Amino acid sequence: MDKKAIVKVGAVASASVCALFGGVVLAQYIFTKKKKAGRKTKIIEMMPEFQKKTVHIKDPERVEEIICGLIKGGAAKLQIITDFDMTLSRFSNNGKRCPTCHNIIDNCKMVTEECRKKLLQLKDTYYPIEIDPNLTIEEKFPFMVEWYFKSHTLLIEQGLQKDKLPEIVRESDACLREGYEHFFDKLQEHNVPMFIFSAGLGDVLEEIIRQAGVYHPNVKVVSNFMEFDEHGVLKGFKGELIHVYNKHDGALKNTEYFKQLKDNCNIILLGDSLGDLNMADGVPNVENILKIGFLNDKVEERLEKYLDSYDIVLVKDETLEVPNSILQKIL
């Protein structure tokens, strides 16, 4: 083989090697790009709490993006807006239904058996309406007003005494979700405002968190508060009624509170009802809002609607593990 032929063969071989090497590099580049492109949920993939079967997310990439925004903002920009009954409190414990704030009064020894039966009848009538996935919020609205009005009227007739409330709560089966101490204490430690917006009974709610040792200065409660006469006997309820499906109106009425927190433009919202989705409507200049919904009952019928409405849906999860894991990243 002459010198010219050798050079030609060498050039071809060299070109082949370059092409092969170039192809490998290009393939590696494409693979890396695809790998990076496919890993848009790196944070939540690394959080074991998100791998539980109770956690349902329709759009993981959106959740990742929101959480990144919350982390970037840190404690200085964060506030919590949350429901109470069946959100901070448990839905069930060891297979037994836990009481709401209203149920705690309904079941106490200060209420007569006759009254208790009437209150239970009201619950059996109106609760199925509250959670019926086939009815709109507008259709449910008048029934909720009717339910609350009738039950509150019955409670007023019982002549409940204010000084008995601590005992009533102490003797009840009130139960906060597992991890509540860490949740409340972490927020207090970092001075993160916590707005509890409840359609329950504010006096009972406050007593529950007071006895649990977590009624910290950063907590503000908006709820249905009882009004007592000069003898400490229940005579009515203060202000306008708050029920499950009028929290939008209540949120707007608390605009002044939210204006004071104008720098707290990142929100974690916790609820267990589609009506809770409106609790942040009074907040100006929202940058990031993560909506976490607890789906406690009638799961199959309601899961799709909850996934369409909440960023994260926790199904039959009696803990605050997921919210706590998010706070761990932010604070």
Side-chain angles (χ1 to χ4, degrees), residues 113-322:
E113 194 59 39
E114 181 185 358
C115 178
R116 202 179 341 271
K117 285 179 182 177
K118 289 179 180 178
L119 289 166
L120 184 58
Q121 287 171 356
L122 290 175
K123 181 184 176 184
D124 291 343
T125 300
Y126 292 104
Y127 179 66
I129 296 173
E130 178 188 329
I131 65 170
D132 190 334
N134 300 312
L135 294 175
T136 66
I137 288 177
E138 290 73 23
E139 288 171 327
K140 295 176 181 182
F141 197 101
F143 292 103
M144 296 303 101
V145 174
E146 200 172 272
W147 182 10
Y148 277 65
F149 176 77
K150 289 179 178 177
S151 63
H152 285 181
T153 300
L154 285 169
L155 292 180
I156 293 167
E157 291 173 357
Q158 294 300 292
L160 294 168
Q161 295 175 294
K162 185 177 183 178
D163 61 4
K164 297 292 185 184
L165 285 177
E167 180 186 344
I168 290 171
V169 170
R170 209 161 26 245
E171 293 179 350
S172 74
D173 294 323
C175 197
L176 295 173
R177 288 187 187 271
E178 183 182 327
Y180 76 88
E181 303 102 323
H182 181 81
F183 184 74
F184 278 85
D185 292 347
K186 195 78 173 173
L187 294 172
Q188 163 66 7
E189 179 188 342
H190 292 271
N191 201 29
V192 175
M194 184 177 184
F195 185 78
I196 301 179
F197 197 179
S198 173
L201 297 174
D203 308 80
V204 176
L205 187 167
E206 288 186 330
E207 191 58 38
I208 291 171
I209 59 176
R210 187 178 292 115
Q211 291 187 16
V214 292
Y215 198 172
H216 301 312
N218 65 316
V219 176
K220 177 178 174 65
V221 177
V222 172
S223 188
N224 297 302
F225 281 92
M226 299 174 176
E227 189 170 8
F228 298 92
D229 64 19
E230 64 273 18
H231 303 293
V233 176
L234 179 63
K235 67 173 186 176
F237 288 83
K238 300 174 184 176
E240 294 183 28
L241 172 69
I242 299 172
H243 60 76
V244 180
Y245 295 116
N246 72 342
K247 289 189 173 181
H248 164 78
D249 299 334
L252 295 181
K253 284 171 186 171
N254 283 279
T255 301
E256 284 307 312
Y257 166 82
F258 292 126
K259 278 182 180 176
Q260 293 170 18
L261 304 174
K262 62 182 187 302
D263 295 330
N264 301 77
C265 48
N266 288 341
I267 301 165
I268 296 177
L269 181 147
L270 306 173
D272 75 308
S273 161
L274 296 180
D276 292 329
L277 291 160
N278 300 317
M279 293 189 297
D281 286 358
V283 181
N285 307 319
V286 175
E287 285 188 13
N288 299 285
I289 179 167
L290 182 68
K291 298 180 179 181
I292 303 175
F294 289 89
L295 180 51
N296 302 304
D297 200 11
K298 305 288 184 185
V299 173
E300 288 184 10
E301 299 95 321
R302 301 197 289 166
L303 181 57
E304 187 177 349
K305 279 191 177 180
Y306 271 61
L307 284 170
D308 288 339
S309 306
Y310 283 101
D311 300 304
I312 301 171
V313 179
L314 303 176
V315 174
K316 293 186 178 293
D317 186 337
E318 298 295 345
T319 77
L320 288 169
E321 285 184 0
V322 169

Side-chain angles (χ1 to χ4, degrees), residues 66-85:
I66 297 170
I67 291 177
C68 285
L70 296 176
I71 293 170
K72 186 178 178 182
K77 284 193 170 186
L78 185 64
Q79 65 171 302
I80 307 297
I81 301 176
T82 179
D83 174 50
F84 184 77
D85 286 323

